[in-house]
Amino acid sequence: MNDTNLTTTTEAASATEATEAAEAAERLIAEFRALPADSDRKREIITELDANAQALPFLVSVVADPGEYDLARVESATVLRLWPPADPALRHEAGRALLRALRDPEEDLVRQYAAMSLAPYTADPVVATVLNTTARADEDPLVRDSARFSIEEAHRLQETGAGGP
C-alpha cells in the first residue's frame, strides 16, 4: 500500500468516526430532551457525551439553563472543564454559560462546579475578573474554594501551554 492509499484510508476512518460521534450525540440529546425534568438519566447521558465534541454546544446550553436538572448542569460543567471547545466562539460561549451558572442563587452545587470549571476560559477578561472576585468575596466558602482551585488550575494550564486559546 502506498502513502496515498494510507492517507485516504485514515481520512475515511476519521470521517466515519466523526459521523458516528455526531449520530450518537444526536440520539443521546434527543433522549435527554424527552426525559422528565428531574430524571437522573439526564446526568448519565451527560457522562455518556463526555469527550464527544459534537455535543459541546448542547452541554453549554445545559449548564446555562437555570431550569435544567442540577446534576445534569454539574456534569455538563465538569465536561466543559475537561474538554473545553477548540472553536473560539463556542469556547467564549461556554465560559459565559459557566459564569451564568456561577451566578445562580438557587443552586450552590452548580455554582461550585461552575467555579471549578472556569480555568480553561480565563483568557476571557470577564471570566478572569469574575473568577478572581468570586475567589475573594463569595459568601459561600465552597464556591470561594472552587474559584481558587480554578485560578490555580488556570495558572498551571498557562505554564504547561495546555490551556488552549
Side-chain angles (χ1 to χ4, degrees):
M1 183 184 303
N2 64 36
D3 288 340
T4 305
N5 289 341
L6 181 58
T7 300
T8 304
T9 303
T10 303
E11 289 171 356
S14 294
T16 300
E17 288 174 12
T19 300
E20 289 172 357
E23 289 171 355
E26 286 176 20
R27 180 182 47 77
L28 288 168
I29 291 167
E31 180 184 351
F32 183 97
R33 290 184 173 141
L35 290 168
D38 62 349
S39 172
D40 200 50
R41 173 69 182 132
K42 286 186 166 194
R43 181 194 54 78
E44 294 169 3
I45 288 171
I46 299 300
T47 61
E48 289 177 42
L49 290 169
D50 184 35
N52 186 329
Q54 305 295 324
L56 289 173
F58 169 71
L59 298 176
V60 169
S61 73
V62 170
V63 80
D65 183 353
E68 189 53 79
Y69 181 48
D70 59 342
L71 295 180
R73 294 177 74 203
V74 164
E75 289 296 331
S76 293
T78 301
V79 172
L80 291 170
R81 178 177 146 252
L82 298 173
W83 307 104
D87 174 66
L90 185 56
R91 190 182 193 100
H92 177 80
E93 188 179 337
R96 296 303 172 97
L98 288 163
L99 286 181
R100 284 191 297 282
L102 180 61
R103 294 179 181 132
D104 186 344
E106 302 297 317
E107 296 293 343
D108 291 339
L109 186 63
V110 172
R111 293 183 69 239
Q112 291 167 25
Y113 275 81
M116 198 181 325
S117 299
L118 282 165
Y121 305 94
T122 56
D124 180 339
V126 172
V127 170
T129 299
V130 170
L131 194 56
N132 283 325
T133 301
T134 301
R136 286 191 321 276
D138 197 272
E139 62 186 42
D140 184 327
L142 295 174
V143 173
R144 280 195 314 266
D145 289 347
S146 294
R148 290 179 186 132
F149 165 83
S150 202
I151 291 167
E152 291 172 10
E153 181 73 3
H155 289 298
R156 187 190 66 73
L157 291 171
Q158 289 170 353
E159 288 173 0
T160 63

